[in-house]
Amino acid sequence: MNISYNWLKRYISLKDDAETVATILTSIGLEVGTIEHVQSIRGGLKGLVVGHVLTCVEHPNSDHLHITTVDLGTPDSPVQIVCGAPNVAAGQKVIVATIGTVLYSGDESFTIKKGKIRGEESLGMICAEDEIGVGTDHAGIMVLPADTPVGMPASEYFHLENDTLIEVDITPNRSDAISHYGVARDLYAYYQAHGQQEVSLTRPDESGFSVDEPDSPISVTVENADACPRYSGVMIKGVHVQESPDWLKKALTTIGLRPINNIVDITNFVLHEYGQALHAFDADKIKGNSIVVKNCAEGTPFVTLDGVERKLSAADLMICNESEPMCIAGVFGGLDSGVTEQTKNIFIESAYFHPVSIRKTARRHQLQTDASFRYERGCDPNNTLHVLRRCAALVHELAGGLICQPVDVQNGVAVPLTEQAFMPPFRVAFSLERCHQLIGKQLGAATIETILRALEIEIESKTACADPKDEIWMLDVPRYRVDVQRECDVVEDILRIYGYNNVEFPDKLNTNLSYGVKPDPQRMQTRISEQLSAQGFYEILNNSLTKVAYYEYAGNLDSCVKIMNPLSQDLGVLRQSLLFGGLESIQRNANRKNADLKLYEFGNCYHYSAKIADAERQKTAADAAQSMDPLRAYSEEMHLGLWITGNKTLQSWVMKEQESTFYELRAYVENVLRRMGVNVNTLVYTPLDKSPLYADGLVVSAQNGKRLGELAIVSRELRKMFDIENPVFFADLDWKALLKQNKQYKPVISDLPKFPAVKRDFALLVDKSVQFADLARVAYQTEKKYLKNVYLFDVYEGKNLEAGKKSYALSFILQDEENTLKDKQIESIMSRLQKAFEEAFGAILR
């Protein structure tokens, strides 16, 4: 939120500069993002001074130029200036741009330099009003009053007031600070708590408000009092819609708003002044002179101020006339309800809408406005009349008109105007001893009381106790502080005003022994991250919210966790897989000529089970004593995703470029599994079920059948959807399952083998359906003591083989760690392996 320093000074008597104020705001919880110095005229009229034209003669080499001598009030004046304006004359007071001055014209600028014009020296420039940005006239130079002091800076003559824009990052709980007065109120509390009693706080002026007509021509009916507990409004007759005065336009443009007309600008000014959204209706367009706050039928068409026709939900609260909706309450106005230049009579709305209702409507229609931003965080329900009077007073001052009697509808009932609070303050029981415990420092009752009163928190009563530690204060917290409703909230408010930096570190530190889970998930994640990064992978982090279209394509949208009020269809569901986020990252990089990628991501995946949800409902229906647990239908699991695509190595003088392959991905996955303590020799690989997402793939499982993850080749169709040309290989590993495997892993330390290993080869003829993983599994099961490794070094399919057959060439590494293997032992092992292959697969030794 943008805060104007000059605007802020309307309400608080600041002596500190903007930078100091920004530091204070950050210290009290209103974090300042940036500070920007704003000039109402670009360049701030720097280098421009008032000059006195002493002489003016015609230029000898021109029929339209003049040579002047100008007194600038400096030791080196007068100076000679060549001027082409037809109205320049001796004796005039003018604005002069001195040497080095930068003048601006739109986005362009130029610097005044010493030079010669038609052979005559010129040491400056006498300016027209459009040349310095104070007007649009270029018919001649500006001629100032004769009594204007020579040498006066132009910025001083034009009363140029520069400003500083403070960008405050408001957290969602601080709805009370979404305004200039709200920020001033917090600053005032800080100054009061720190002994600067001379700083004063001034509430926006309502003194210009007076009722000219005792009755209101517009009636108000609130049919949905739950969504609109309070609705206030006032009609003003005979207004003149015109351009706003300079001070109002300057205030709005400083914070980034575009001035429109005096009525709209006033509502925007009060919005950013008080934090209360207002809406000005053209009263003559309110059919039946009746405003009805209600919900319309589902699917009712409504054209908003931006010209878009929207279909209303039955849950949307609408501001209607007697026959049709005019405005989406608290969110956006209708196309035909606003103020135009022809408007003569207006009705100003100042209401309190239920935050949840506004938030749901804004999300449903994907609208984010200044009004909804404030209403959905919670406005002050006791402030609607104050804001209404302030706005009406400004309208009367700047647009004229007669103010009618305001209307105030509370909980669906019209009530007489009163200063009594609509909603009572929040009552909080507060213990001084508990406050000191939470803060970690004894502040003292007097300091705490000073801070509370500065925060407008009233001490309603104090419970007298023999021991001061047991004393309880009953506090009344203003209704606008929606985030302060508990004792700990009050303590937090006291601490932020007192200053976190003012709480010293204690001399001793108290702590408790803690016992972590083994294995430590975070430590294991860091270990695997370091391994993958060392192997050339880059870690990515994608949004858990993703596109609905992805899971429509995958055919499993029903098992998605859906967002009730998504900001857009691009953020409509929680992801079931890390796959799509990685493909988006690959697409983005490939579009920027970075197609050779190795990526990994740790992230949660989410699932919804309709079957479990139905079971819960049936359980409750069968036995009323059993309450339904809808959360059981939802699950959340951590996964590790790996992607490789493009070239594995680039071409160089020592090697040719090599494309990444599925087997490269498998090697990386097995490296991860080894690091997690999984014996990769016992892994079971089975074909992946058919899916529109994958062209082919494998499911990797532990020896006990527990699924650990899957390795896949992304389908051509899916790559086409993401405009990715190169093949993409993807692995999805169940992190929870890997942690369980790691928990079972017990590292064993042993000496390096002292005896040599022996290598033997087999060439086996097997059915084409037999896979190497099956052969390896049988080999390890057959020889558990001496077989250290088995690998495939050749596959042959072709001539001289029976139909449906293929040849595998396998190498076996045998080793006895206590003795040198003898030939008979080796032959015995190989014989048993051959027999096992023959029995299990009908293999034939070639």
Side-chain angles (χ1 to χ4, degrees):
M1 184 187 69
N2 291 332
I3 294 294
S4 161
Y5 177 72
N6 289 342
W7 192 340
L8 198 62
K9 291 193 293 185
R10 292 171 176 265
Y11 318 114
I12 182 170
S13 54
L14 290 174
K15 295 182 179 178
D16 292 326
D17 58 25
E19 286 73 15
T20 303
V21 169
T23 302
I24 294 172
L25 288 176
T26 297
S27 73
I28 61 177
L30 302 179
E31 184 178 358
V32 173
T34 60
I35 301 175
E36 178 185 351
H37 296 286
V38 180
Q39 298 170 328
S40 55
I41 296 177
R42 189 177 180 188
L45 301 183
K46 186 178 180 180
L48 295 164
V49 297
V50 175
H52 181 202
V53 181
L54 302 178
T55 64
C56 177
V57 297
E58 293 185 358
H59 194 295
N61 300 320
S62 172
D63 58 357
H64 68 281
L65 297 177
H66 298 83
I67 301 174
T68 65
T69 54
V70 183
D71 179 12
L72 302 178
T74 59
D76 57 349
S77 62
V79 297
Q80 178 172 295
I81 298 176
V82 177
C83 179
N87 64 327
V88 65
Q92 293 174 336
K93 297 291 181 66
V94 295
I95 296 294
V96 178
T98 56
I99 300 298
T101 301
V102 179
L103 298 181
Y104 298 89
S105 177
D107 295 331
E108 298 179 353
S109 64
F110 64 94
T111 303
I112 303 299
K113 300 177 181 179
K114 178 180 178 181
K116 288 187 176 182
I117 301 177
R118 297 283 182 92
E120 295 293 335
E121 187 178 52
S122 183
L123 301 177
M125 174 179 169
I126 303 176
C127 301
E129 65 178 42
D130 68 323
E131 292 170 330
I132 61 175
V134 298
T136 59
D137 186 14
H138 192 70
I141 60 170
M142 294 187 68
V143 179
L144 308 181
D147 59 351
T148 306
V150 174
M152 172 186 281
S155 58
E156 184 179 334
Y157 174 79
F158 289 106
H159 304 290
L160 189 64
E161 187 178 37
N162 294 332
D163 201 353
T164 302
L165 193 64
I166 304 172
E167 183 187 12
V168 181
D169 300 327
I170 301 294
T171 53
N173 62 310
R174 292 301 309 276
S175 61
D176 63 296
I178 314 179
S179 66
H180 283 76
Y181 182 70
V183 171
R185 189 166 48 198
D186 247 25
L187 279 172
Y188 172 76
Y190 172 86
Y191 285 121
Q192 293 296 301
H194 290 78
Q196 299 187 39
Q197 306 299 325
E198 70 279 4
V199 176
S200 60
L201 181 70
T202 304
R203 194 181 180 93
D205 184 23
E206 304 170 19
S207 60
F209 176 85
S210 63
V211 176
D212 298 309
E213 296 194 3
D215 297 319
S216 174
I218 304 292
S219 65
V220 176
T221 303
V222 178
E223 295 185 3
N224 187 347
D226 291 332
C228 179
R230 187 176 192 181
Y231 190 98
S232 307
V234 64
M235 182 173 176
I236 305 177
K237 296 180 179 179
V239 298
H240 299 285
V241 180
Q242 56 193 354
E243 185 179 354
S244 297
D246 289 341
W247 70 265
L248 179 54
K249 291 190 292 184
K250 184 183 298 183
L252 296 179
T253 53
T254 298
I255 63 172
L257 296 181
R258 180 176 61 88
I260 298 174
N261 58 54
N262 53 353
I263 303 299
V264 175
D265 292 349
I266 288 169
T267 60
N268 284 330
F269 179 83
V270 176
L271 165 69
H272 289 273
E273 178 180 61
Y274 259 127
Q276 169 71 44
L278 301 166
H279 187 73
F281 295 92
D282 186 329
D284 295 327
K285 296 179 181 178
I286 301 176
K287 297 179 180 179
N289 288 334
S290 175
I291 285 182
V292 183
V293 184
K294 64 179 183 178
N295 301 87
C296 296
E298 184 75 30
T300 301
F302 179 69
V303 181
T304 47
L305 198 58
D306 56 359
V308 177
E309 181 176 290
R310 306 176 190 274
K311 300 295 183 182
L312 300 178
S313 165
D316 294 335
L317 186 68
M318 302 298 296
I319 310 299
C320 309
N321 54 40
E322 67 174 7
S323 61
E324 61 188 3
M326 299 186 297
C327 176
I328 302 178
V331 180
F332 212 23
L335 185 62
D336 297 325
S337 65
V339 173
T340 66
E341 293 181 356
Q342 289 73 41
T343 299
K344 297 299 180 185
N345 304 303
I346 62 172
F347 181 84
I348 303 173
E349 164 194 285
S350 175
Y352 172 69
F353 300 113
H354 197 286
V356 175
S357 171
I358 300 302
R359 186 181 304 116
K360 288 182 176 180
T361 296
R363 298 296 179 272
R364 191 179 298 118
H365 295 289
Q366 298 179 23
L367 290 170
Q368 180 67 52
T369 62
D370 282 339
S372 67
F373 179 78
R374 286 159 174 78
Y375 276 126
E376 66 187 30
R377 283 161 173 76
C379 293
D380 184 1
N382 296 326
N383 205 35
T384 60
L385 279 179
H386 289 291
V387 175
L388 199 64
R389 293 191 187 104
R390 169 65 168 164
C391 184
L394 285 173
V395 171
H396 182 72
E397 176 186 346
L398 303 181
L402 301 175
I403 301 175
C404 300
Q405 180 72 18
V407 294
D408 190 20
V409 179
Q410 301 180 7
N411 295 319
V413 179
V415 298
L417 300 184
T418 175
E419 295 300 324
Q420 184 176 355
F422 166 56
M423 289 186 179
F426 300 112
R427 180 64 57 86
V428 178
F430 177 75
S431 163
L432 286 177
E433 180 63 20
R434 179 62 175 160
C435 176
H436 293 145
Q437 287 177 353
L438 290 175
I439 291 176
K441 181 179 180 179
Q442 295 285 332
L443 303 187
T447 300
I448 292 175
E449 187 168 349
T450 298
I451 294 174
L452 290 176
R453 296 199 184 281
L455 287 168
E456 299 183 1
I457 298 176
E458 298 296 331
I459 303 174
E460 193 272 336
S461 65
K462 297 181 180 180
T463 304
C465 299
D467 189 344
K469 293 183 178 180
D470 299 329
E471 186 175 358
I472 301 295
W473 295 359
M474 299 306 297
L475 307 179
D476 284 344
V477 181
R479 201 73 192 190
Y480 60 78
R481 290 305 307 274
V482 295
D483 61 321
V484 182
Q485 301 184 32
R486 302 169 300 170
E487 182 185 45
C488 58
D489 298 329
V490 176
V491 174
E492 181 186 1
D493 245 24
I494 291 171
L495 181 55
R496 71 180 181 84
I497 297 299
Y498 178 77
Y500 293 96
N501 294 333
N502 294 326
V503 179
E504 301 83 2
F505 285 103
D507 295 331
K508 63 177 182 178
L509 179 65
N510 299 322
T511 184
N512 295 321
L513 292 176
S514 60
Y515 298 90
V517 179
K518 302 294 183 182
D520 184 343
Q522 188 60 47
R523 182 173 295 179
M524 291 303 301
Q525 181 176 330
T526 301
R527 183 178 299 172
I528 298 301
S529 295
E530 290 174 346
Q531 174 178 315
L532 290 171
S533 297
Q535 292 175 330
F537 280 78
Y538 288 94
E539 185 173 10
I540 59 175
L541 184 63
N542 288 295
N543 198 338
S544 296
L545 294 171
T546 188
K547 293 183 180 180
V548 174
Y550 293 157
Y551 297 98
E552 289 177 341
Y553 175 81
N556 55 357
L557 183 60
D558 291 340
S559 56
C560 282
V561 179
K562 300 175 183 176
I563 307 302
M564 294 181 64
N565 295 296
L567 293 175
S568 70
Q569 287 297 94
D570 288 349
L571 302 171
V573 295
L574 287 169
R575 64 187 176 193
Q576 291 189 49
S577 170
L578 301 177
L579 171 63
F580 300 109
L583 292 179
E584 288 177 349
S585 298
I586 292 173
Q587 177 191 36
R588 178 176 178 81
N589 280 273
N591 289 342
R592 289 158 178 78
K593 306 302 180 183
N594 184 27
D596 303 328
L597 298 167
K598 292 191 292 186
L599 309 173
Y600 73 94
E601 178 180 11
F602 285 94
N604 287 322
C605 296
Y606 310 84
H607 296 82
Y608 169 76
S609 172
K611 184 177 180 180
I612 296 178
D614 291 340
E616 284 293 311
R617 283 190 287 267
Q618 291 172 7
K619 180 181 72 175
T620 305
D623 185 358
Q626 299 187 54
S627 60
M628 182 177 68
D629 182 8
L631 296 180
R632 285 194 64 244
Y634 297 91
S635 61
E636 176 181 349
E637 308 95 20
M638 174 74 84
H639 283 246
L640 167 60
L642 282 75
W643 297 260
I644 61 174
T645 183
N647 290 325
K648 176 183 178 182
T649 59
L650 298 178
Q651 183 175 354
S652 68
W653 65 276
V654 294
M655 67 175 66
K656 295 182 179 180
E657 65 180 16
Q658 292 180 317
E659 292 184 353
S660 298
T661 65
F662 178 82
Y663 302 103
E664 180 189 353
L665 175 69
R666 175 172 168 174
Y668 286 127
V669 169
E670 290 187 350
N671 284 339
V672 170
L673 296 179
R674 284 192 186 93
R675 194 69 181 272
M676 296 294 292
V678 178
N679 184 354
V680 297
N681 294 328
T682 63
L683 293 176
V684 178
Y685 289 94
T686 54
L688 191 64
D689 293 337
K690 289 185 177 181
S691 165
L693 305 179
Y694 306 127
D696 202 355
L698 296 172
V699 174
V700 56
S701 305
Q703 190 174 14
N704 60 3
K706 176 64 178 178
R707 182 179 176 131
L708 302 179
E710 57 189 37
L711 294 75
I713 305 172
V714 176
S715 69
R716 184 187 300 271
E717 292 75 15
L718 183 57
R719 286 193 288 114
K720 187 177 180 181
M721 181 190 300
F722 285 88
D723 196 24
I724 300 173
E725 295 181 0
N726 293 329
V728 177
F729 308 101
F730 170 65
D732 184 8
L733 301 178
D734 186 334
W735 187 245
K736 185 178 180 181
L738 295 185
L739 290 175
K740 287 183 178 179
Q741 292 293 315
N742 183 263
K743 193 172 184 179
Q744 300 169 8
Y745 171 62
K746 298 186 183 301
V748 177
I749 299 175
S750 59
D751 293 332
L752 290 172
K754 299 178 181 179
F755 301 96
V758 176
K759 176 184 175 185
R760 291 291 185 269
D761 298 335
F762 268 169
L764 299 175
L765 190 65
V766 295
D767 293 337
K768 285 189 174 182
S769 60
V770 177
Q771 297 187 12
F772 166 69
D774 301 326
L775 296 170
R777 185 177 67 255
V778 170
Y780 287 119
Q781 290 172 351
T782 302
E783 180 51 56
K784 299 180 179 179
K785 184 176 182 180
Y786 298 122
L787 181 60
K788 301 303 180 182
N789 197 5
V790 55
Y791 58 88
L792 178 69
F793 67 87
D794 188 39
V795 180
Y796 176 73
E797 296 181 54
K799 296 180 180 180
N800 304 323
L801 293 183
E802 298 178 29
K805 298 288 185 177
K806 61 183 176 182
S807 175
Y808 274 150
L810 308 177
S811 286
F812 301 88
I813 306 300
L814 306 174
Q815 188 175 40
D816 185 349
E817 297 178 358
E818 298 178 356
N819 297 289
T820 301
L821 284 173
K822 298 179 180 180
D823 290 341
K824 287 186 177 181
Q825 289 177 289
I826 297 170
E827 290 174 2
S828 174
I829 293 171
M830 299 306 294
S831 296
R832 283 189 286 110
L833 289 173
Q834 180 181 346
K835 185 178 179 181
F837 292 145
E838 290 173 351
E839 292 177 353
F841 308 107
I844 300 173
L845 188 64
R846 295 183 68 193

